[in-house]
Amino acid sequence: MEPIIEVKNLRKVYRMGKEKIVALNHIDLEIEKGEICCLFGTSGSGKSTLLNMLAGLEKPTKGTIKIKKIRVEKLNETQLAIFRQKNIGFVFQSYNLIPTLTALENVALPLVFQGMDKKEREKRAKEMLEAVGLGSRLHHKPKEMSGGQQQRVSIARAFVNRPQILFADEPTGNLDTHTTIEVMDMITAIAEKYKQTLIIVSHDPEIADYAHKIITVQDGDVLKIEKNTDKGRKMIYEKEE
């Protein structure tokens, strides 16, 4: 199967005065369509930097990033914005909801940028909120909801335009254990239902175990790639020396 994401010789170096900090060091990576992947590693390992590169939020110092055969690192800001609207959804640890908008309005917002008329986008947003168990909270604002409910709104917003690729950056970092399980079950079930590619950043082994593929990042390098077999067993099929 041809990869939906292909990374070659990816390198990111930050300059702080005269000092160079290597955040990513010659990363090679392929992610297939419909695959659930976890970028796994401790704080400072480079996993969030890698996610930002894949999402086009930062430019690499060197290397190529192809998503659906498009060289993402070559796109300008306007082209990137259009590409993300059509292809990518985001789930953040901090929810990033607009506090003055209701759940329905927050979820419908990405559809505004696609030019969808109000009736259709509200219908789509309502369906998505019902799918994440918030059908009774359509007109509640973020401050009127728990952390778990706010993250469900964030998930509904990410999935509402059926993007082919979902990026989730520590999506359960602010949630308790019970809510974490609910949210992870929800994200992965929706992604699998619609054959979407899901890339999760996490430092939690239990979150990583939801993935088909676990990409362990350490000191800016891919340390190993593991493929999850059934019942959470992992089989290492690639390892960089």
Side-chain angles (χ1 to χ4, degrees):
M1 187 181 292
E2 192 168 307
I4 193 170
I5 298 174
E6 188 175 8
V7 174
K8 287 189 176 179
N9 199 28
L10 189 66
R11 182 172 168 85
K12 181 64 177 179
V13 179
Y14 294 103
R15 296 180 184 273
M16 298 183 68
K18 295 181 180 180
E19 187 179 359
K20 291 182 180 179
I21 299 173
V22 179
L24 296 175
N25 190 29
H26 304 297
I27 300 285
D28 291 315
L29 191 63
E30 290 185 353
I31 296 172
E32 294 180 2
K33 183 179 179 181
E35 203 166 35
I36 297 174
C37 294
C38 180
L39 302 179
F40 178 75
T42 58
S43 178
S45 62
K47 61 187 187 299
S48 290
T49 302
L50 179 53
L51 182 80
N52 289 342
M53 297 287 132
L54 297 178
L57 299 174
E58 291 187 57
K59 296 286 187 183
T61 304
K62 185 180 179 181
T64 62
I65 305 163
K66 287 184 182 179
I67 298 181
K68 296 176 65 180
K69 298 183 179 180
I70 294 171
R71 289 277 298 274
V72 174
E73 85 281 358
K74 294 288 188 183
L75 301 180
N76 62 37
E77 287 305 314
T78 301
Q79 292 168 330
L80 269 171
I82 294 168
F83 181 79
R84 289 192 201 104
Q85 286 172 20
K86 291 181 177 179
N87 299 285
I88 293 173
F90 293 92
V91 180
F92 302 97
Q93 177 178 346
S94 56
Y95 321 138
N96 285 3
L97 302 177
I98 298 175
T100 56
L101 299 184
T102 64
L104 189 69
E105 291 166 338
N106 266 289
V107 174
L109 194 58
L111 304 176
V112 174
F113 300 115
Q114 291 193 350
M116 188 179 291
D117 67 73
K118 185 177 180 181
K119 184 177 179 181
E120 179 59 29
R121 66 178 182 254
E122 287 188 350
K123 177 176 179 288
R124 182 89 69 85
K126 181 174 181 288
E127 289 172 352
M128 201 66 240
L129 282 164
E130 287 172 346
V132 299
L134 291 178
S136 63
R137 297 275 180 170
L138 302 179
H139 304 293
H140 287 67
K141 293 182 178 179
K143 66 180 180 181
E144 299 170 319
M145 293 182 281
S146 68
Q149 289 168 338
Q150 289 183 60
Q151 189 59 300
R152 286 175 184 236
V153 175
S154 174
I155 292 165
R157 181 185 58 192
F159 280 98
V160 73
N161 61 346
R162 302 274 174 83
Q164 291 190 39
I165 301 167
L166 264 294
F167 292 111
D169 192 359
E170 299 280 5
T172 60
N174 292 332
L175 305 177
D176 60 43
T177 302
H178 176 73
T179 309
T180 290
I181 293 169
E182 286 185 346
V183 164
M184 287 306 303
D185 286 347
M186 190 177 299
I187 293 176
T188 52
I190 296 172
E192 288 180 336
K193 179 179 179 181
Y194 295 109
K195 297 179 174 59
Q196 293 159 301
T197 304
L198 174 60
I199 300 161
I200 306 162
V201 166
S202 184
H203 63 274
D204 185 343
E206 292 186 6
I207 299 300
D209 208 36
Y210 278 86
H212 300 138
K213 183 187 288 182
I214 302 168
I215 301 160
T216 301
V217 182
Q218 181 176 299
D219 298 328
D221 286 305
V222 172
L223 180 66
K224 61 184 176 182
I225 300 176
E226 299 167 288
K227 188 173 182 179
N228 254 343
T229 58
D230 55 340
K231 297 184 180 178
R233 296 193 304 273
K234 303 183 189 71
M235 177 180 64
I236 299 176
Y237 69 92
E238 179 180 333
K239 182 173 181 179
E240 295 191 0
E241 298 297 335

